[in-house]
Amino acid sequence: RSVKRLSDYQPPGFTIDSTDLTFELDATHTVVTAVLELRRLDPQLTELSLDGQQLQLLSLHYNDKLLAANEFDCTSQQLRLKVTEDTFRLTIRTQINPLANTALEGLYYANGSFCSQCEAEGFRRITYYLDRPDVLSVFRTTIIADTAHYPYLLSNGNKVEQRKLDNGQTLVCWQDPFPKPSYLFALVAGDFDLLRGDYQTRSGRMVALDFFVEKGQGGKAAFALDALKRSMRWDEQRFGLEYDLDTYMVVAVDFFNMGAMENKGLNVFNSKYVLVSEDTATDTDFFNVESIIGHEYFHNWTGNRVTCRDWFQLSLKEGLTVFRDQEFSRDMGSATVNRIHAVQVIRTAQFAEDASPMAHPIRPQQVMEMNNFYTVTVYDKGAEVIRMLHTLLGEAGFQAGMRLYFERHDGQAVTCDDFVQAMQDANHYDLSAFRLWYQQSGTPELTMQRHYEPQQQRLTLRLNQRTAATADQPDKAALVLPVRYQLLDESGNKSGLFVMQEHNETLVFDGVSAQALPVMLEDFSAPVRLKHDYSEQELLRIAMEASNGFARWDALQSCWMLWLDQAMHQNNDFRLPDAFFELYQQLLKLPLDDKALTAELLKVPEYHVFAENFQQIPVDAILSAIHSFRQQISQRLAPELKACYQQHSVVAVEYNEMNVGIRALKNRCLDYLALHGQPAETLLLQQYNSASNMTDKLAVLSACLHSAHPAFFGLMQQFATEWQHDVLVLDKWFSLHAAQPSAQVFEQITLLCQHPKFSWQNPNRVRAVFHAFAMQNPGQFHRMDGRGYQLLTDTLLKLDPINPQVSARLVTPLLSWQRFDLERQALMKAALHRLSAQPGISDDLYEKVSKALA
Ligand code: BAL
Ligand code: ZN
């Protein structure tokens, strides 16, 4: 199996000036005619090699000449031919089978519609092509299909022709004026509800906004349509960027590997990130829709107008666009809570990836299957790297860098270095040392030690940074770390930014009292693990006194780690300190203005948050400590929890920052109150039956799940009856069942897989069950009898031939086998060996499994 390396990059020897595609759509026999105008860039080359995958070649013309089979070389992966002219035309006719395409890459047929997904290398499943992002071409796309079944025939750009043919078919032609790489090509054909809107850009142009969704679901796209308008306005105001086509189309489909895809002018979305209404979607779903609608829209400039030279540069567009969508969400809702959630992703999933056999820098250096690198490292750590640039340069400097980047590179395929260079040149700020973030993997550990000299009233902070070796890189150098700090003392809070460059540095504060408390890494100003020497008392003081909400939350996170450690050493006789209960009492009686933040402060961290602090994860000890912490809170604070719950129990249904915060707080209280067993039942049933929105209904079910409340099964049955017609809602029900922390879950999952709405072909269904089981049910997944690992392995063996992208994502929790005790290690390793012994295992799964076993 072949590995591609960044160091082997060669510019393309040929380019394709124009791409004219005709699709004669048929579920099993689609014929694609590609007319490509090619140009030789490297005069030395005499052979052209086009990428292909699972294509049946029908005919090939060179200019007007039909080539005989012996005049070219065609394998399942490549089409090669000798070339003598500098410019020439190829006409390639291929046949494909969209119905058989269960991998959902290239053109596929599912749920009665045709849909495409070409990023990263799916276009080569449509026709032979130079399927690489640095070949930009102007596309014209003609689609011919049966009118009755497929009234909407969509592709990128502007519609330039539409006519009925004699045979009951329609022909539609699209022209995209912007040259683009093949990964941004899209085609959709089907019958949909169409929700239309429009938007006037700041320069006064009208843009038609068209949302195509499943029949009968049009009303559920209204929020997404508004979110799109908000995104367009925000990008104009904050980044000065305006939309460039006359139409912006979004199609929501139920069969989709990813969240969404930014194809030029024709975004394709997983329906779960478009279709929301208060009765079917939670506040989190609403948040995700707004943020992903924003993300895909922002790609129009950061990704489409300026794209990646090669796939190793993926973070060029993804890190930057995640940064942009995070900033958008922050401006739309609670800035602090949004930051908390983003940081949790880094501290759990991304730090876990750094510690795993799949560790890689945000710009990976070698790849077997590109689909495996759409990772939390490339995306979310990539966004943290952009955020550090923003912190170093400030908003004005960062925006100056963005302007220079577009000035230099609009219409080009470029590298991460080009981006950093634009930031550097626009600000005359030397970023040469900073660039190491792009090539070094791993989680830096920043250690802080305090030293106070009373006579001089001087506080010295000794800072040390160290990055442990990762699976991919043994040696690590010092990174540039922007450390935001705040000093809490009687004279008020001092804040500042310290830019650390070396392994060891000191930061000195003069004229401060012995009580002065430095809060470091405010707002998580660098993606590092901070080790500090705060006492419990000091942490609780930060949690109470810091003006920065993030710092308060973060101090509590550190407290939880201390308490977990104590609980583990005291065999769970450990009691949470009184000062903690006083803080919680205060929060429950007088919640902050930002109720969503109060709800976060009142939360015992989840298993994965605790787990990421251990090299060897003590699964059972963590789970039993969490159980004990929750019990103690629910018992000690019962009256306050109940009062807070009641005080916030009536809240308007509409999704907005205030209502979301109140619901979060109320449901946090409910989650603890459910632990009261029988007495809580009335409360739970009352909320379930009176809830007018999905957030409140689901909160009851998850509170019952967390507390193993007997009301769970009855309510789950009721829920299934109510929502059997709506697959997106049923996915929540699938996940709750799969997260059930008892051995019953195994029989339950067997039943779920036989459910009429379950399908192995549908990634949402599969993830709803198995992602929930492997990631949200640590007790059962990590059972000492190995039954959890076996279930996941059986699932992967079944799934891999159907959809390798989904199987390769689901395998993740098995890869980190070395982080568990010896018994579990042996079981997990055996599971990985079972996978690797499977004949025909996909490259996607093979790359991960083989790294884990190396
Ligand atoms: N480009 C793949 C989907 C996304 O990141 O928007
Ligand atoms: Zn993206």
Side-chain angles (χ1 to χ4, degrees):
R1 302 193 195 223
S2 68
V3 168
K4 292 170 214 126
R5 292 186 173 77
L6 169 59
S7 54
D8 291 340
Y9 174 81
Q10 294 289 333
F14 294 85
T15 194
I16 306 175
D17 289 322
S18 79
T19 301
D20 189 326
L21 302 169
T22 301
F23 289 82
E24 296 160 68
L25 290 180
D26 180 272
T28 51
H29 296 80
T30 287
V31 174
V32 183
T33 307
V35 182
L36 312 179
E37 299 290 346
L38 286 116
R39 185 158 46 90
R40 181 158 53 186
L41 300 174
D42 176 353
Q44 309 294 318
L45 286 178
T46 54
E47 187 181 80
L48 169 71
S49 172
L50 301 177
D51 307 298
Q53 201 173 330
Q54 292 178 14
L55 297 171
Q56 187 189 341
L57 182 68
L58 300 179
S59 66
L60 173 64
H61 284 75
Y62 183 92
N63 292 329
D64 292 325
K65 180 176 181 278
L66 175 67
L67 296 187
N70 61 357
E71 293 179 282
F72 58 88
D73 189 11
C74 184
T75 69
S76 63
Q77 303 293 316
Q78 267 182 344
L79 176 63
R80 286 188 310 185
L81 66 156
K82 293 269 176 279
V83 170
T84 50
E85 293 158 296
D86 286 334
T87 58
F88 55 97
R89 186 173 64 251
L90 287 185
T91 304
I92 309 167
R93 271 169 75 78
T94 46
Q95 184 173 306
I96 52 180
N97 182 348
L99 182 65
N101 183 354
T102 57
L104 313 183
E105 284 180 76
L107 183 69
Y108 59 92
Y109 184 85
N111 217 14
S113 304
F114 290 89
C115 183
S116 65
Q117 171 54 38
C118 294
E119 189 176 0
E121 295 176 334
F123 192 78
R124 62 189 63 186
R125 292 167 179 253
I126 291 176
T127 187
Y128 290 100
Y129 204 75
L130 293 172
D131 191 14
R132 46 187 289 169
D134 55 356
V135 170
L136 277 68
S137 186
V138 174
F139 279 67
R140 183 183 172 90
T141 306
T142 304
I143 312 170
I144 300 166
D146 179 71
T147 313
H149 288 102
Y150 314 109
Y152 293 105
L153 306 178
L154 312 173
S155 191
N156 318 84
N158 301 312
K159 198 195 276 185
V160 291
E161 187 183 354
Q162 170 154 7
R163 62 189 156 90
K164 290 242 162 71
L165 305 178
D166 296 339
N167 52 2
Q169 293 188 315
T170 298
L171 177 152
V172 175
C173 183
W174 295 84
Q175 173 86 38
D176 183 356
F178 291 94
K180 64 170 177 289
S182 50
Y183 84 86
L184 289 172
F185 169 80
L187 182 153
V188 174
D191 193 4
F192 303 102
D193 263 5
L194 170 58
L195 180 71
R196 311 197 85 153
D198 54 36
Y199 176 80
Q200 185 166 27
T201 68
R202 65 176 177 170
S203 69
R205 283 187 313 103
M206 288 309 292
V207 180
L209 309 177
D210 289 348
F211 278 70
F212 299 87
V213 304
E214 198 181 320
K215 282 267 172 203
Q217 306 277 320
K220 286 199 204 157
F223 178 79
L225 173 60
D226 277 345
L228 177 58
K229 292 181 192 171
R230 287 195 288 279
S231 312
M232 295 174 93
R233 186 66 67 216
W234 183 88
D235 215 15
E236 289 176 355
Q237 289 171 348
R238 175 84 185 264
F239 279 79
L241 298 171
E242 188 175 320
Y243 187 59
D244 51 12
L245 283 166
D246 298 334
T247 310
Y248 192 94
M249 295 177 283
V250 171
V251 187
V253 296
D254 199 35
F255 283 68
F256 204 63
N257 280 344
M258 315 189 189
M261 177 64 210
E262 71 263 24
N263 315 299
K264 183 79 189 186
L266 175 56
N267 288 182
V268 177
F269 268 66
N270 187 323
S271 52
K272 74 189 269 199
Y273 297 123
V274 172
L275 301 177
V276 284
S277 63
E278 278 86 2
D279 59 334
T280 61
T282 62
D283 291 335
T284 305
D285 295 325
F286 275 85
F287 173 87
N288 288 338
V289 167
E290 185 176 67
S291 120
I292 297 175
I293 286 277
H295 181 96
E296 305 312 328
Y297 175 71
F298 304 141
H299 265 316
N300 189 55
W301 278 93
T302 50
N304 301 3
R305 289 286 288 252
V306 183
T307 193
C308 303
R309 186 194 73 173
D310 54 77
W311 288 123
F312 299 100
Q313 318 292 332
L314 180 60
S315 201
L316 171 81
K317 73 180 179 79
E318 295 306 345
L320 179 54
T321 306
V322 171
F323 170 76
R324 275 153 54 67
D325 84 51
Q326 287 178 352
E327 288 296 289
F328 170 60
S329 297
R330 180 192 168 103
D331 288 350
M332 298 294 124
S334 163
T336 308
V337 171
N338 280 329
R339 188 66 190 133
I340 288 172
H341 290 164
V343 171
Q344 273 174 326
V345 170
I346 297 288
R347 283 193 181 150
T348 54
Q350 202 282 319
F351 286 0
E353 190 159 76
D354 278 340
S356 83
M358 277 297 288
H360 54 277
I362 64 167
R363 183 181 56 210
Q365 275 144 15
Q366 59 177 59
V367 159
M368 181 181 289
E369 173 48 64
M370 190 54 215
N371 288 327
N372 284 338
F373 289 84
Y374 285 73
T375 59
V376 71
T377 299
V378 167
Y379 273 62
D380 296 78
K381 183 176 176 185
E384 293 302 320
V385 170
I386 301 293
R387 185 171 295 285
M388 287 190 284
L389 283 173
H390 186 270
T391 301
L392 292 171
L393 304 174
E395 171 70 7
F398 185 81
Q399 292 298 349
M402 291 296 293
R403 283 192 295 277
L404 185 60
Y405 174 62
F406 291 123
E407 224 171 274
R408 284 181 178 170
H409 300 301
D410 188 13
Q412 298 176 6
V414 304
T415 63
C416 298
D417 271 333
D418 293 321
F419 178 81
V420 179
Q421 195 64 44
M423 287 286 155
Q424 169 162 325
D425 294 348
N427 290 279
H428 308 289
Y429 188 114
D430 182 2
L431 290 166
S432 41
F434 184 84
R435 286 170 207 246
L436 186 61
W437 278 106
Y438 284 86
Q439 68 193 57
Q440 183 164 291
S441 57
T443 307
E445 195 169 88
L446 175 63
T447 308
M448 178 193 84
Q449 280 178 321
R450 287 171 293 168
H451 179 66
Y452 186 70
E453 295 161 275
Q455 260 118 36
Q456 289 92 335
Q457 291 207 312
R458 172 176 290 170
L459 174 66
T460 303
L461 303 184
R462 296 200 183 100
L463 300 172
N464 165 270
Q465 63 160 304
R466 178 187 160 273
T467 305
T470 48
D472 63 326
Q473 278 173 351
D475 302 316
K476 307 287 180 181
L479 288 151
V480 176
L481 305 180
V483 182
R484 267 198 196 291
Y485 60 82
Q486 198 182 102
L487 196 67
L488 303 187
D489 71 0
E490 304 85 62
S491 60
N493 298 344
K494 293 189 190 71
S495 52
L497 175 68
F498 177 69
V499 182
M500 187 170 175
Q501 311 245 23
E502 308 294 333
H503 279 113
N504 293 294
E505 298 204 31
T506 52
L507 175 57
V508 178
F509 297 97
D510 279 316
V512 297
S513 73
Q515 277 70 45
L517 203 50
V519 180
M520 303 304 280
L521 216 67
E522 206 172 63
D523 279 337
F524 198 62
S525 59
V528 306
R529 213 186 272 281
L530 178 66
K531 295 195 87 173
H532 49 68
D533 53 3
Y534 299 126
S535 65
E536 173 185 295
Q537 216 181 7
E538 287 173 322
L539 288 168
L540 283 168
R541 189 179 141 206
I542 299 172
M544 288 194 223
E545 287 179 21
S547 57
N548 176 299
F550 180 88
R552 300 183 68 175
W553 171 84
D554 208 20
L556 267 179
Q557 297 291 294
S558 298
C559 285
W560 284 116
M561 298 311 152
L562 286 179
W563 297 328
L564 172 66
D565 190 57
Q566 291 171 22
M568 284 168 58
H569 286 97
Q570 294 172 26
N571 270 338
N572 286 334
D573 290 336
F574 168 75
R575 291 284 154 257
L576 290 162
D578 288 343
F580 161 76
F581 288 112
E582 279 156 30
L583 170 65
Y584 263 35
Q585 237 157 8
Q586 204 179 324
L587 285 170
L588 285 163
K589 280 191 184 143
L590 272 179
L592 308 167
D593 287 344
D594 185 344
K595 304 276 187 295
L597 174 58
T598 309
E600 286 299 333
L601 295 171
L602 289 172
K603 185 175 180 180
V604 176
E606 288 170 3
Y607 165 82
H608 291 285
V609 175
F610 283 121
E612 256 340 285
N613 285 277
F614 293 88
Q615 268 179 351
Q616 288 257 309
I617 301 171
V619 180
D620 311 294
I622 294 175
L623 291 174
S624 87
I626 291 175
H627 179 72
S628 153
F629 296 154
R630 285 170 39 78
Q631 288 284 356
Q632 291 183 49
I633 293 169
S634 101
Q635 280 162 16
R636 265 292 278 271
L637 298 173
E640 291 86 350
L641 287 163
K642 196 144 192 201
C644 185
Y645 175 82
Q646 274 158 355
Q647 191 191 339
H648 297 94
S649 62
V650 182
V651 42
V653 72
E654 189 193 354
Y655 175 82
N656 62 35
E657 189 183 345
M658 190 178 76
N659 296 349
V660 169
I662 297 174
R663 269 194 286 277
L665 176 57
K666 165 183 84 170
N667 289 324
R668 174 78 61 238
C669 296
L670 184 72
D671 203 49
Y672 290 118
L673 291 169
L675 288 161
H676 294 155
Q678 202 57 34
E681 185 151 334
T682 320
L683 199 65
L684 293 163
L685 296 185
Q686 199 178 23
Q687 173 160 331
Y688 186 88
N689 291 319
S690 65
S692 56
N693 64 87
M694 185 51 71
T695 306
D696 283 347
K697 265 197 196 306
L698 216 63
V700 175
L701 296 177
S702 85
C704 289
L705 180 79
H706 293 149
S707 60
H709 199 285
F712 180 70
F713 294 100
L715 288 175
M716 285 290 275
Q717 234 160 21
Q718 198 178 326
F719 189 88
T721 315
E722 259 175 273
W723 294 107
Q724 55 188 322
H725 58 282
D726 189 325
V727 278
L728 291 180
V729 181
L730 268 189
D731 280 347
K732 301 175 191 307
W733 179 83
F734 281 131
S735 294
L736 283 162
H737 269 309
Q740 201 184 298
S742 79
Q744 260 176 297
V745 71
F746 293 95
E747 285 76 49
Q748 193 64 57
I749 286 179
T750 307
L751 291 175
L752 293 179
C753 294
Q754 291 159 4
H755 191 282
K757 289 283 175 9
F758 182 85
S759 156
W760 288 99
Q761 265 83 29
N762 186 304
N764 284 0
R765 297 304 91 74
V766 171
R767 281 188 291 250
V769 175
F770 293 102
H771 181 84
F773 172 70
M775 299 304 289
Q776 289 156 33
N777 198 347
Q780 295 303 312
F781 177 64
H782 290 292
R783 281 170 69 94
M784 295 304 296
D785 62 6
R787 211 171 156 193
Y789 308 142
Q790 196 182 333
L791 172 62
L792 184 64
T793 312
D794 293 344
T795 303
L796 295 173
L797 290 172
K798 187 176 172 81
L799 194 60
D800 193 48
I802 300 172
N803 190 328
Q805 271 191 53
V806 178
S807 66
R809 280 202 182 260
L810 277 180
V811 78
T812 303
L814 281 178
L815 304 179
S816 301
W817 60 275
Q818 281 160 314
R819 296 188 63 192
F820 296 88
D821 52 80
L822 291 176
E823 270 173 89
R824 286 184 170 103
Q825 281 194 16
L827 293 164
M828 293 171 99
K829 214 170 154 186
L832 289 165
H833 278 298
R834 246 185 96 202
L835 290 172
S836 81
Q838 178 73 2
I841 176 179
S842 66
D843 278 353
D844 309 53
L845 199 51
Y846 175 83
E847 180 172 35
K848 292 190 172 181
V849 170
S850 59
K851 278 188 175 170
L853 290 173

